Amino acid sequence: AQSVTQPDIHITVSEGASLELRCNYSYGATPYLFWYVQSPGQGLQLLLKYFSGDTLVQGIKGFEAEFKRSQSSFNLRKPSVHWSDAAEYFCAVVGDKLVFGAGTILRVKS
Amino acid sequence: DTAVSQTPKYLVTQMGNDKSIKCEQNLGHDTMYWYKQDSKKFLKIMFSYNNKELIINETVPNRFSPKSPDKAHLNLHINSLELGDSAVYFCASSHNRDVQFFGPGTRLTVL
C-alpha cells in the first residue's frame, strides 16, 4: 500500500525567503503525486501534480516540485514566499486510492 | 461556477441523531469520494464511487452509508452520531486516477 511522509509539522519562513517542503512517498509502481494547499477553514486546492515526464513540475502561485525517484521524494519549492502563502500543505500519492501525508503548516513572518 | 459543492457547510447536532451531507459535482467526473479530516488535520478516505458503484470502502463504521443516486451526486448519511464523528468531511471528484477536486467541506460537530 502507498504511504506519504511529510517530516516537518511546522515550518516558519520570512517573507521573501525561499521555501522547501519535504515529501517522501512509498509506492511500488510509478506514482502519481500531488501537492495540495489548505487555507484555514477552506477546502483543498491543487498546487501541482506529477504523472510522468519532466521531473520538475510547475504549479500555480509560483510553486514547483521535483520528483526524484532515487530518493522517493517530491519536494515542493518556492523561490520567494509571500505572506498569503501561509497555509497547510499536503503531499499525496495515488495508487489504488489517494493517500495524504500529515501536512506541513507554513507560517510566514514579516 | 462551483465545481464540487457540499451542503451544509456547518452541521451541529446531538449525539444519537441521524444526519446527511450532500455533495454534487458539475465536472462530468465518473468517480466521487468522501474524506474525513480529523482535529489533527489528517485526511483519510472513507468511500469512493465510480459510476454509482462503490469501489473503495475503508474501515468505516456501518453507521456511515454513502448513496450515489447518479454520477454527479454522492451523499453521506450518518446514523446514531457519536462524539468521535466530529470532523470536517470533504467530498471530492475525479476522472479515474486523475486530479481530485475537493468541495469546501462540511464541519460536523456532535454535542
Side-chain angles (χ1 to χ4, degrees):
Chain A
Q2 63 270 36
S3 66
V4 177
T5 302
Q6 292 180 247
D8 303 306
I9 298 174
H10 298 99
I11 280 188
T12 301
V13 299
S14 298
E15 192 169 14
S18 64
L19 169 71
E20 181 167 32
L21 301 183
R22 295 183 291 164
C23 171
N24 291 97
Y25 69 90
S26 173
Y27 185 60
T30 301
Y32 286 9
L33 294 158
F34 306 87
W35 276 98
Y36 284 87
V37 61
Q38 184 179 26
S39 297
Q42 302 295 315
L44 284 88
Q45 182 183 20
L46 179 74
L47 286 175
L48 46 78
K49 65 181 181 184
Y50 172 79
F51 284 1
S52 64
D54 194 347
T55 56
L56 184 64
V57 292
Q58 302 297 321
I60 62 171
K61 304 185 180 187
F63 285 93
E64 66 178 26
E66 186 169 13
F67 170 62
K68 293 186 178 180
R69 185 187 296 277
S70 61
Q71 297 177 21
S72 297
S73 69
F74 188 55
N75 294 347
L76 182 71
R77 300 194 293 247
K78 186 168 184 178
S80 177
V81 168
H82 188 262
W83 64 266
S84 60
D85 293 325
E88 187 153 13
Y89 292 79
F90 293 93
C91 181
V93 62
V94 65
D96 59 332
K97 60 190 176 193
L98 187 63
V99 173
F100 285 89
T104 298
I105 297 172
L106 172 65
R107 298 190 178 112
V108 181
K109 59 182 182 182
S110 53
Chain B
D1 287 342
T2 304
V4 182
S5 60
Q6 296 178 228
T7 53
K9 190 168 175 62
Y10 299 97
L11 187 52
V12 181
T13 189
Q14 300 284 337
M15 278 177 55
N17 284 350
D18 303 337
K19 290 294 178 186
S20 292
I21 307 172
K22 295 186 176 181
C23 177
E24 177 180 2
Q25 56 98 0
N26 62 5
L27 298 167
H29 289 160
D30 50 18
T31 308
M32 296 185 72
Y33 313 81
W34 277 109
Y35 288 84
K36 180 179 180 180
Q37 186 174 45
D38 61 24
S39 58
K40 295 183 179 177
K41 298 293 192 70
F42 188 66
L43 273 157
K44 192 171 190 301
I45 190 165
M46 300 172 68
F47 302 101
S48 174
Y49 270 73
N50 179 268
N51 287 320
K52 303 195 312 177
E53 287 193 28
L54 183 65
I55 57 172
I56 292 176
N57 185 350
E58 292 294 294
T59 50
V60 178
N62 290 339
R63 300 181 293 102
F64 289 79
S65 53
K67 294 244 179 348
S68 182
D70 56 55
K71 280 174 39 173
H73 296 85
L74 180 62
N75 303 324
L76 183 64
H77 189 75
I78 316 170
N79 289 326
S80 304
L81 279 156
E82 300 177 357
L83 292 176
D85 297 332
S86 294
V88 181
Y89 293 84
F90 287 100
C91 178
S93 72
S94 72
H95 178 64
N96 295 331
R97 290 176 72 204
D98 208 331
V99 174
Q100 292 187 21
F101 291 84
F102 285 77
T106 296
R107 182 173 295 277
L108 171 64
T109 304
V110 182
L111 303 175

